[in-house]
Amino acid sequence: MGADINFYFDPVCPFAWMTSKWVRQVQAQRDYTVDWRFISLRLLNAHIDYDAHFPPEYEAGHTAGLRLLRVAAATREAHGPEAVGRLYAALGARIFDTAPSPESRADAGLRGTAGFVAPALAEAELPASLAEALDDTARDMVIQAETDEALSLTGKDVGTPILHFEPPEGVAFFGPVISRLPTEEQAGELWDHVVGLARFPGFAELKRSLRERPQLRAFGITEDEVGRQEDWHAGSRRLKK
């Protein structure tokens, strides 16, 4: 039997990480199964001039995400889909739930290095040798295929994460994008509202481009603070539309 939810993620996307934490809350409460699948922001934006359209750190960050997805692909191949969930949890905690070091602030590409991924592999109880996949461009075919798969479910004007409810027949859509982690009591209620919309065959979109910076320590925002609002037009902080 397939999973109850297919969750398409890029490990360097803060909003995918926040949504994944909420989905894990619901997963524990509702005994859902989640298949953690791949969507690469670097491959999504392969046609875009990063220097002209994005803040300076975006290209290095998105490239690091692609490199980490290669490790995730190698993990799934050798250890199965459940291991991908463990690896994503370890990577996300290191990227977003710890205060950034001066080095990581200066170079977003450090996330795509063996030195960064090795502790996450250890935490996920996976072999250190999986870090060798960071440079394995042959795995980009698998990542591209799943990126294309995700877009075939939603259309192309989306970002990460993409959730597919009750696949293969259920509805898939971009998001939900959240900036704050709900309480345990709120998690299930929010989930029920989202699923209620998703199950209506005619549901297409709810959207606003104003977002709070997510409550993540990597952004200098603790769990009891509210981040300032930013306009993420076209789904990102692009310098140009």
Side-chain angles (χ1 to χ4, degrees):
M1 294 182 64
D4 297 301
I5 306 157
N6 289 345
F7 190 113
Y8 296 83
F9 72 96
D10 187 306
V12 300
C13 175
F15 294 102
W17 173 243
M18 183 63 80
T19 300
S20 79
K21 293 170 70 173
W22 166 57
V23 166
R24 290 180 193 272
Q25 286 178 308
V26 177
Q27 184 182 10
Q29 294 176 11
R30 306 290 177 87
D31 196 28
Y32 286 146
T33 56
V34 179
D35 188 1
W36 303 96
R37 301 179 68 79
F38 313 140
I39 181 169
S40 167
L41 291 168
R42 188 65 186 86
L43 296 179
L44 274 175
N45 294 303
H47 63 291
I48 292 175
D49 181 347
Y50 270 80
D51 289 339
H53 288 82
F54 286 109
E57 72 277 9
Y58 264 50
E59 183 169 16
H62 287 180
T63 299
L66 175 57
R67 291 169 60 80
L68 293 174
L69 284 174
R70 293 170 186 164
V71 177
T75 296
R76 185 172 65 192
E77 181 179 302
H79 302 279
E82 187 274 335
V84 176
R86 300 201 315 268
L87 177 60
Y88 182 30
L91 288 171
R94 288 182 57 78
I95 294 170
F96 296 115
D97 291 341
T98 57
S101 65
E103 293 80 11
S104 65
R105 286 193 185 98
D107 186 0
L110 288 173
R111 296 169 177 170
T113 63
F116 182 88
V117 78
L121 288 167
E123 183 179 338
E125 299 180 338
L126 293 167
S129 59
L130 287 168
E132 296 171 6
L134 286 165
D135 298 312
D136 187 359
T137 58
R139 298 191 180 277
D140 293 359
M141 293 180 62
V142 172
I143 299 165
Q144 181 70 69
E146 291 196 7
T147 298
D148 293 343
E149 175 184 285
L151 297 183
S152 75
L153 297 167
T154 60
K156 295 181 179 180
D157 186 21
V158 295
T160 58
I162 287 174
L163 272 67
H164 189 183
F165 292 86
E166 301 171 347
E169 291 83 7
V171 173
F173 54 82
F174 164 47
V177 176
I178 58 174
S179 294
R180 309 181 200 178
L181 188 65
T183 65
E184 294 296 327
E185 293 75 19
Q186 292 170 331
E189 181 182 12
L190 177 59
W191 180 262
D192 289 338
H193 290 315
V194 171
V195 171
L197 284 172
R199 283 181 171 156
F200 174 61
F203 173 66
E205 180 179 44
L206 281 174
K207 187 174 182 178
R208 66 187 221 134
S209 60
L210 290 177
R211 303 182 187 178
E212 298 169 2
R213 285 179 70 82
Q215 284 179 329
L216 298 171
R217 293 185 181 275
F219 290 88
I221 303 168
T222 61
E223 291 79 0
D224 58 351
E225 296 178 303
V226 176
R228 72 175 185 272
Q229 282 201 344
E230 300 172 321
D231 191 349
W232 284 57
H233 59 271
S236 70
R237 290 178 293 172
R238 289 190 185 182
L239 303 178
K240 295 182 179 179
K241 293 186 179 181

